[in-house]
Amino acid sequence: MTDTRERDRSDVAPAVAELETIVSLAKRRGFVFPSSEIYGGINAVWDYGPLGVELKNNVKRAWWRAMVQERDDIVGLDAGILMHPQVWVTSGHVGSFSDPLVECATCHRRYRLDELPGAEGLSATDLRDESVVERLGLVCPNDGGQLSAPRRFNLMFTSHMGPVEDDGSLVYFRPETAQGSYVNFKNVQGSSRKKIPFGIAQIGKSFRNEISPGNFVFRMREFEQMEMQYFVRPGDAATAAFDEWLPERRAWYSRYGVDPSRLRLREHAPDELAHYAKKAIDVEYRFPFGWKELEGIHNRGDFDLGSHARASGENLEYFDPASEEHFIPWVVETAAGADRAAFTFLIDAWREEEVRGEKRVVLGLHPELAPYKVAVLPLLKKRPEIVAMARALRADLARDVMAVYDDTAAIGKLYRRQDEIGTPWCVTVDVESLEDGAVTVRERDTMTQARVPLEGVGRLILDRLAASRG
Ligand code: GAP
């Protein structure tokens, strides 16, 4: 494998901000709230506030742009969260989608084995070893109590479909969107007439009953995935596609502003591979709590289409008219998390700097990701003509972009507030504007200001947005 495994520790880029700083900003400014907070919250579920929903939608849009809109070999799909239960038996999730769980004999707290102090870095083989707790002398981190031998805990949430709650009505909440693309392979290929290699992209909710969720929105029980399944000829073509997708997906994060020194690739050891994967490499990000997976690139071979063909009796072969061959395509998957990506962009964009002796907090978000593209601010809210002009300008800009009006503080404070939520441009309407029909456009990162005729503001913002896309 390439990359940073061998790197000197001093080479590791430090995380940008403390986790608490980001969590506090996210709550205070309306990015993310704990779910059901007035009832004390529910573990590992988070709600996106007014700014968070904009940021996450923009992340999903940016992914869709790169994966579907800008390519002619990938099409979209939006499959159901609930699927035929046999899908999850065939996919291997009923049998193998589990984590090792240990329980304390005295306080009865439960832990994921590999997250216990002293068990970090255990190999996948060790994690399956029933004697590992005894062998390593692991104890409960809460009260030092004796821990049970690990048992496998299946991560899928279940429910029942229809009015009868018996085994025959059991359904699973999907733990990945990928299976929707496999079971629709024939439908999508037939209707879109795509020829191999081609991909199916999906964005949607997935659910996992994680044993130890945490680190804010990093690991949740309800989350969103952005996954793409790329169908290719078996063998070498899959290896080549895998090698092409890897830099492509890493570059997507940098394209939207993530510092490349805080991204690295990490290959899964053979005993660490998921049940479906022949090869897997993660794009990792240097979170405040260490290097962690941001996205997985997987060579899934013919595991999925092959298994579904056998179990359903459907012929899921592809006919290649050029070579006149029938074969089960192999799949190269790029599997990202929308929440994890939004979280990453948020952390990586955060910075604190000193401007003329004062602290300024800035979210240097890529303009495409910023919740608001522009804020319109009146210099004097007591002058009704200025307020009217500013409000009219906001309404005009809002036809094309998310634009916000704010007059609840003095101009310096209004600028700081917009800096802190990442708004790339502020437009100020002042007394002179009433006479010369021009306004001041201020740029977030450089804080430079330019006088622009009122009728040119919309064009200027749209041009700068287009330029930021590269
Ligand atoms: N279809 C393959 C698959 O699901 P994965 O590595 O288990 O692969 C893909 O998940 C991505 O989904 C992860 O890289 C992560 O970004 C996101 N993800 C997975 N579990 C998550 C969780 N509990 N909370 C938030 N995001 C999660």
Side-chain angles (χ1 to χ4, degrees):
M1 235 322 279
T2 42
D3 237 29
T4 41
R5 263 183 159 186
E6 321 77 43
R7 269 193 191 176
D8 178 6
R9 282 206 63 78
S10 61
D11 198 21
V12 170
V16 179
E18 298 289 328
L19 182 59
E20 300 77 61
T21 310
I22 299 298
V23 174
S24 136
L25 182 142
K27 169 113 200 261
R28 189 166 39 81
R29 300 308 312 271
F31 282 91
V32 179
F33 308 125
S35 163
S36 323
E37 196 178 10
I38 61 167
Y39 288 100
I42 172 169
N43 200 1
V45 185
W46 295 88
D47 297 341
Y48 286 82
L51 298 186
V53 66
E54 296 299 334
L55 171 65
K56 194 160 91 154
N57 281 343
N58 291 341
V59 168
K60 290 189 281 184
R61 228 173 267 133
W63 186 86
W64 199 263
R65 166 185 283 281
M67 302 299 282
V68 181
Q69 186 181 328
E70 290 178 355
R71 302 188 61 115
D72 62 5
D73 58 347
I74 301 181
V75 289
L77 177 73
D78 184 8
I81 287 170
L82 300 177
M83 303 180 76
H84 193 294
Q86 185 59 40
V87 167
W88 303 108
V89 177
T90 306
S91 70
H93 284 81
V94 169
S96 319
F97 194 57
S98 55
D99 277 339
L101 173 96
V102 293
E103 185 173 343
C104 173
T106 43
C107 72
H108 298 290
R109 290 200 184 182
R110 291 169 175 182
Y111 305 93
R112 213 172 96 176
L113 175 60
D114 53 327
E115 300 212 326
L116 279 176
E120 308 94 344
L122 281 185
S123 72
T125 309
D126 273 336
L127 292 173
R128 272 185 226 105
D129 174 7
E130 290 203 352
S131 68
V132 70
V133 170
E134 215 181 319
R135 185 156 54 81
L136 297 182
L138 301 173
V139 290
C140 174
N142 179 47
D143 64 359
Q146 194 184 338
L147 292 171
S148 67
R151 67 181 169 87
R152 301 305 299 186
F153 175 78
N154 194 290
L155 301 184
M156 280 195 294
F157 280 101
T158 57
S159 187
H160 292 89
M161 192 169 252
V164 183
E165 293 199 6
D166 61 12
D167 287 353
S169 64
L170 186 71
V171 284
Y172 300 96
F173 284 35
R174 70 177 175 200
E176 61 170 14
T177 64
Q179 297 303 322
S181 298
Y182 306 138
V183 300
N184 277 296
F185 171 71
K186 279 255 132 151
N187 287 336
V188 174
Q189 196 270 324
S191 58
S192 66
R193 296 173 180 277
K194 288 285 169 205
K195 294 208 166 40
I196 269 173
F198 82 95
I200 302 180
Q202 274 204 84
I203 298 179
K205 286 264 169 136
S206 292
F207 301 81
R208 294 182 190 180
N209 197 4
E210 300 280 2
I211 299 168
S212 51
N215 285 327
F216 195 39
V217 296
F218 177 80
R219 190 176 292 131
M220 301 191 281
R221 292 196 169 116
E222 175 182 340
F223 56 98
E224 247 177 309
Q225 289 188 307
M226 309 187 290
E227 297 196 302
M228 192 279 299
Q229 316 303 318
Y230 203 62
F231 300 93
V232 295
R233 290 182 70 86
D236 291 348
T239 310
F242 185 95
D243 291 345
E244 277 169 29
W245 276 110
L246 204 56
E248 185 87 14
R249 288 305 309 150
R250 178 185 176 144
W252 181 78
Y253 294 96
S254 313
R255 172 177 170 184
Y256 286 99
V258 175
D259 186 329
S261 72
R262 280 188 285 271
L263 291 170
R264 73 175 190 185
L265 303 176
R266 188 185 74 81
E267 180 161 7
H268 287 210
D271 66 351
E272 189 193 349
L273 288 171
H275 59 275
Y276 50 74
K278 283 186 177 314
K279 179 171 177 168
I281 295 183
D282 290 341
V283 179
E284 291 192 334
Y285 176 71
R286 176 61 168 83
F287 286 95
F289 37 88
W291 287 101
K292 298 277 176 198
E293 173 184 345
L294 190 49
E295 163 160 357
I297 321 294
H298 311 128
N299 180 346
R300 298 179 68 133
D302 67 355
F303 177 84
D304 303 281
L305 289 185
S307 308
H308 285 305
R310 280 190 296 280
S312 67
E314 279 288 322
N315 179 0
L316 298 181
E317 283 180 336
Y318 172 81
F319 174 66
D320 184 353
S323 62
E324 300 202 330
E325 283 171 286
H326 291 267
F327 56 83
I328 295 272
W330 282 25
V331 171
V332 172
E333 171 185 56
T334 70
D339 310 272
R340 228 173 253 190
F343 183 31
T344 300
F345 290 121
L346 193 64
I347 299 172
D348 211 74
W350 187 92
R351 66 174 191 266
E352 195 175 62
E353 55 193 33
E354 218 177 271
V355 178
R356 288 183 290 278
E358 271 188 46
K359 196 178 84 173
R360 171 172 106 118
V361 172
V362 188
L363 273 189
L365 287 169
H366 187 285
E368 286 279 287
L369 302 184
Y372 297 126
K373 309 304 175 210
V374 55
V376 185
L377 315 169
L379 196 67
L380 295 170
K381 72 167 175 179
K382 289 198 181 104
R383 292 283 299 270
E385 320 90 279
I386 294 182
V387 168
M389 191 185 249
R391 284 196 179 277
L393 177 60
R394 190 216 72 91
D396 191 35
L397 295 171
R399 286 190 292 192
D400 293 312
V401 293
M402 282 298 294
V404 65
Y405 169 88
D406 191 5
D407 66 7
T408 57
I411 193 69
K413 197 159 183 188
L414 293 180
Y415 282 151
R416 293 291 177 269
R417 277 189 199 158
Q418 296 301 325
D419 290 343
E420 199 190 23
I421 60 171
T423 308
W425 300 287
C426 287
V427 180
T428 307
V429 181
D430 54 26
V431 183
E432 264 177 59
S433 308
L434 300 173
E435 281 145 33
D436 65 4
V439 289
T440 301
V441 177
R442 172 194 181 263
E443 211 265 333
R444 176 194 68 201
D445 296 324
T446 58
M447 291 185 290
T448 49
Q449 304 193 354
R451 207 66 189 161
V452 177
L454 204 53
E455 60 278 9
V457 177
R459 189 71 266 152
L460 180 107
I461 302 292
L462 289 179
D463 284 350
R464 288 193 184 174
L465 259 181
S468 77
R469 264 178 228 134

